[in-house]
């Protein structure tokens, strides 16, 4: 792997030259949201770069304003071969030995900025958000809690990637505060439901997938072509109010228990950057799937995932370590199923994987509900602290990365803090 | 009620002077989608009107381009007091005795066009679509089919307006063809699921509500203020594949069974136009609801609804007659519940009422599944024809209206035809 001339790129950085994730930023000198790539502790401001003749040298066929939009949608819509070519050209530009930007002090000053000085924004305009349930061990554990041994998985679980339509309007970028939702739930079945701040606010560790290309309404996407519809990936926290969920979800699925906020990491790791990390997912215990769902064997990625809980007092504990190889359905399978009946996907649509948990103990589970067996056991934190569900002021930070030191492909942070339902904003 | 000088406004027209619904059209001389109101067999082209000095006389505080956008969202976002004032000014302009437009032949020729010469488009850009389940008799009948006598309603049904997130990308305007979805379903439980064109394609009669104003994320809308968040109403057909639905919907709700198409009528009846038709909805058998859901008594509207089925041979039978007074939850209650946990609504969001059925026989039910008791009994059509579910080439047309002849407030048609899953488009 090539090395970079960009200073201060630590071997442990998520944003290596092998990664170059895309995001939307504002900077001290440019308050209009626009596109950038992250490398080490810097960003390359692609809008600033586009003011230089170097831009047309690098990307002769790109519209010059493509990175000046407030979302990555116009770039994503150009399709995966273009994303591949642009990323490769940027990798060249930033490689040790390439002098074009390195030795242009004025352009460097304008376009290569400290990451700490820029503000990240939601990278895509999301038309529709769909959340799947593809984490096998999560589905199994939740089923065991609700239905007991022998009936953990619904009959459809192994036959199709179960999913539901989520709420696009409450998708926010990492760092956005999340208000503890008020909701309706049952404390005492004899008393009926009450209204109040949820007492069981939880997180869910997921991988999010942004759609590059849309399909026409009425036309399905074949599983073998679905990779071409993927722009890239982010980490996703599907905040959940478990007390609200238990009361509301029959028969039409989760609603207010999920629509108060969904946090995504700001840097979109392009699909090509993850290609080296393909693995086989969880083997489907139901055997061979129907033909329209038969994709390549190594359909998922082995991304190491970690969850930190930081208390209001500032103490941080890593409460979970897992990997995205625990998915049983791949995103191409989800796309093939989603479009089977003709549902149109559009550029910028977001697909969530569903909660990702390992098969073992609490320390590899992707949500508190699993870790605590529905609130029955505590998760121990640094010092003498413990949790069943989240307290006001708690921060959840999800990190994810794969690859060797010096060539790590990581996501940075997907972070959110819960604030009190009573607090005015 | 005032009368209009516009020619050919029949007393039985849905689009009386008392209505003036808003839509998005293209015309022979202007291929860019823009706003209009319908009256009788004509439309008043508001973009064409805006080129005249009369426009600033009528609407001194409106941005001059407000009706030149391809959706009604910018107008809707101005809020209900503005919608009220604009509608009142247009009612004056079109009243018998107002000569400003009537006696201006050049402007009349440019702005008053035959409805038959314009093409209607989707009136709003829909960010998120939420479908509720507020039709009491529908929920009761479906529950009776699934769970039997004594367990018709889930315990939460009378305590909160049950709803789920729908798919925004497949919302289409009346007249758009709907491809029969291919889906996964179970024919023989011993054999497991199969894939193929759905054999149980159904319609659902609903009322749709477009959101005018959004709320901030984290901030709930009080039920008493929710009317101010409503722009207007349309008829909605929530096409459904019942075989797909039965197999996929546990535990996360309907997905591919619903996301292949949702049809809305093109003319948005403003909230104010329906005010005279308020009635009390179905009494909640669970008694008093929680305080955040206590809205005004007359929270729903008495809109007469009719469903026509037209066969591929062209024979039409009116298969259902019902009314929207069969809703148990009002749209303000749905909005209060939707935002209770802080979910942000945005201008243009669409809320569906859920299927509207009367309490009686098949002839007042809002979907074929109810009419046929899940496919067990046939609905008889004109001639010797009959249906359990829809055949390729069948057209469903929903009509809705209230009010006396000469002052009817109606929706026009919400129409869609199913075409074969095998047919290329």
């Amino acid at each position: 792997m090539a090395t970079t001339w960009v200073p201060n790129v630590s071997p442990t950085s998520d944003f290596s030259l092998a990664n170059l994730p895309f995001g939307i930023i504002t900077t001290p000198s440019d308050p209009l949201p626009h596109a950038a790539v992250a490398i080490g502790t810097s960003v390359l401001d692609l809008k600033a770069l586009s003011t230089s003749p170097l831009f047309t040298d690098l990307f002769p066929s790109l519209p010059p304003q493509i990175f000046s939009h407030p979302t990555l949608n116009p770039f994503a819509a150009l399709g995966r071969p273009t994303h591949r070519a642009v990323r490769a050209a940027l990798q060249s530009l930033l490689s040790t030995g390439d002098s074009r930007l390195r030795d242009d002090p004025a352009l460097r000053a304008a376009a290569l900025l400290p990451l700490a000085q820029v503000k990240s924004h939601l990278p895509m305009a999301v038309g529709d958000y769909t959340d799947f349930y593809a984490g096998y061990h999560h589905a199994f554990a939740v089923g065991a809690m609700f239905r007991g041994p022998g009936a953990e998985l619904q009959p459809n679980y192994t036959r199709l990637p179960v999913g539901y339509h989520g709420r696009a309007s409450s998708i926010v970028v990492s760092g956005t505060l999340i208000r503890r939702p008020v909701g309706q739930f049952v404390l005492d079945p004899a008393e009926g439901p009450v209204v109040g701040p949820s007492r069981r606010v939880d997180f869910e560790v997921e991988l999010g997938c942004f759609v590059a290309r849309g399909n026409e309404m009425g036309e399905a996407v074949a599983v073998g072509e679905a990779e071409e519809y993927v722009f890239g990936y982010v980490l996703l926290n599907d905040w959940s109010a478990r007390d609200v969920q238990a009361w509301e979800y029959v028969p039409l699925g989760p609603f207010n228990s999920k629509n108060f906020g969904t946090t995504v990491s700001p840097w979109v790791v392009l699909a090509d950057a993850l290609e080296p990390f393909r693995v086989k997912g969880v083997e489907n215990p139901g055997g061979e799937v129907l033909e329209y769902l038969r994709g390549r064997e190594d359909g998922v990625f082995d991304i190491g995932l970690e969850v930190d809980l930081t208390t209001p007092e500032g103490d941080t504990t890593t409460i979970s370590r897992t990997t995205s190889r625990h998915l049983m359905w791949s995103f191409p399978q989800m796309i093939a199923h989603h479009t089977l009946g003709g549902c149109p996907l559009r550029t910028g649509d977001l697909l969530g994987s569903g909660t990702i948990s390992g098969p073992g103990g609490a320390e590899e589970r992707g949500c508190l509900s699993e870790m605590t067996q529905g609130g029955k056991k505590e998760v121990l934190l640094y010092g003498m602290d413990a949790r069943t569900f989240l307290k006001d002021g708690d921060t959840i930070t999800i990190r994810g990365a794969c690859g060797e030191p010096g060539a790590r492909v990581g996501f940075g942070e997907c972070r959110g803090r819960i604030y009190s339902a009573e607090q005015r904003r």
Side-chain angles (χ1 to χ4, degrees), chain A residues 102-114:
Chain A
R102 186 191 70 199
D103 297 344
D104 183 336
L107 188 57
R108 258 184 80 160
L112 199 66
L113 308 172

Side-chain angles (χ1 to χ4, degrees), chain A residues 1-6 17 39 91-98 406:
Chain A
M1 185 64 209
T3 55
T4 179
W5 54 259
V6 175
L17 188 64
I39 178 157
Q91 283 177 321
S92 288
L93 181 71
L94 300 174
S95 290
T96 309
D98 192 305

Side-chain angles (χ1 to χ4, degrees), chain A residues 336-358:
Chain A
H337 182 67
H338 203 325
T339 61
L340 175 65
C343 179
L345 302 180
R346 296 177 294 190
T347 297
D349 283 353
L350 178 62
L351 312 176
S353 63
T355 308
I356 301 171
S357 289

Side-chain angles (χ1 to χ4, degrees), chain A residues 275-403:
Chain A
E275 279 297 327
F277 308 102
R278 288 190 168 279
V279 288
K280 195 168 177 305
V282 172
E283 183 149 337
N284 190 324
E288 190 167 60
V289 295
L290 287 160
E291 192 178 358
Y292 78 99
L293 291 170
R294 287 179 208 151
R296 57 190 288 177
E297 282 268 296
D298 51 351
V300 309
F301 304 107
D302 187 13
I303 304 165
L305 299 164
E306 291 184 339
V307 183
D308 285 355
L309 191 158
T310 303
T311 63
E313 295 75 31
D315 294 324
T316 296
T317 311
T318 299
I319 58 174
S320 183
R321 286 185 176 85
T322 182
T323 150
S324 62
R325 68 189 306 159
H326 294 312
L327 295 173
M328 192 187 80
W329 297 104
S330 69
F331 281 104
Q333 288 175 311
M334 298 180 220
I335 290 170
H337 182 67
H338 203 325
T339 61
L340 175 65
C343 179
L345 302 180
R346 296 177 294 190
T347 297
D349 283 353
L350 178 62
L351 312 176
S353 63
T355 308
I356 301 171
S357 289
E363 70 286 354
E364 53 184 73
R365 295 290 167 171
C367 64
L368 284 169
S369 183
E370 278 180 79
M371 292 178 183
T372 66
Q373 295 175 19
K376 294 197 194 78
K377 298 175 74 171
E378 290 193 318
V379 171
L380 300 181
L381 304 181
Y382 175 88
M384 302 294 284
D385 219 346
R387 290 289 182 278
T388 46
F389 292 97
L390 296 175
K391 278 178 59 172
D392 289 340
D394 281 352
T395 298
I396 290 292
T397 306
I398 308 171
R399 291 185 304 277
C402 34

Side-chain angles (χ1 to χ4, degrees), chain A residues 106-356:
Chain A
L107 188 57
R108 258 184 80 160
L112 199 66
L113 308 172
L115 184 56
Q117 281 183 17
V118 307
K119 181 170 157 52
S120 282
H121 301 266
L122 197 63
M124 307 285 283
V126 181
D128 277 290
Y129 161 45
T130 304
D131 200 19
F132 285 90
Y133 196 48
Y136 176 81
H137 305 298
H138 169 71
F140 193 92
V142 170
M145 279 194 277
F146 276 81
R147 290 179 299 274
E152 293 88 354
L153 297 177
Q154 298 283 359
N156 60 14
Y157 187 81
T158 59
R159 304 293 85 205
L160 58 83
V162 170
Y164 69 103
H165 304 119
R167 181 79 192 177
S169 71
S170 50
I171 296 169
V172 295
V173 73
S174 179
T176 306
L177 296 174
I178 301 289
R179 190 176 202 161
R180 177 180 298 273
V182 170
Q184 190 182 129
F185 47 86
V186 174
L187 291 173
D188 174 356
E191 297 284 325
V194 296
V195 172
S198 168
R199 299 168 182 214
R200 295 184 158 229
V201 173
D202 200 353
F203 65 88
E204 290 190 341
V205 176
E206 303 195 13
L207 204 57
C209 171
F210 282 114
V211 170
R213 256 170 69 177
N215 58 304
E216 289 295 314
M217 185 162 157
E219 302 295 330
V221 175
V223 67
E225 290 167 21
E227 288 286 353
E228 291 300 305
Y229 289 75
V230 174
F231 177 54
Y233 298 91
V234 288
L235 303 174
L236 185 152
N237 182 347
D238 178 26
W239 303 97
S240 300
R242 301 300 183 192
D243 39 10
V244 175
Q245 188 175 355
W247 170 234
E248 76 174 4
Y249 89 104
V250 173
L252 299 180
F255 184 55
N256 279 357
S257 57
K258 300 280 194 173
N259 66 22
F260 61 96
T262 304
T263 304
V264 296
S265 55
W267 295 100
V268 182
V269 174
L270 295 195
D272 278 301
L274 284 173
E275 279 297 327
F277 308 102
R278 288 190 168 279
V279 288
K280 195 168 177 305
V282 172
E283 183 149 337
N284 190 324
E288 190 167 60
V289 295
L290 287 160
E291 192 178 358
Y292 78 99
L293 291 170
R294 287 179 208 151
R296 57 190 288 177
E297 282 268 296
D298 51 351
V300 309
F301 304 107
D302 187 13
I303 304 165
L305 299 164
E306 291 184 339
V307 183
D308 285 355
L309 191 158
T310 303
T311 63
E313 295 75 31
D315 294 324
T316 296
T317 311
T318 299
I319 58 174
S320 183
R321 286 185 176 85
T322 182
T323 150
S324 62
R325 68 189 306 159
H326 294 312
L327 295 173
M328 192 187 80
W329 297 104
S330 69
F331 281 104
Q333 288 175 311
M334 298 180 220
I335 290 170
H337 182 67
H338 203 325
T339 61
L340 175 65
C343 179
L345 302 180
R346 296 177 294 190
T347 297
D349 283 353
L350 178 62
L351 312 176
S353 63
T355 308
I356 301 171

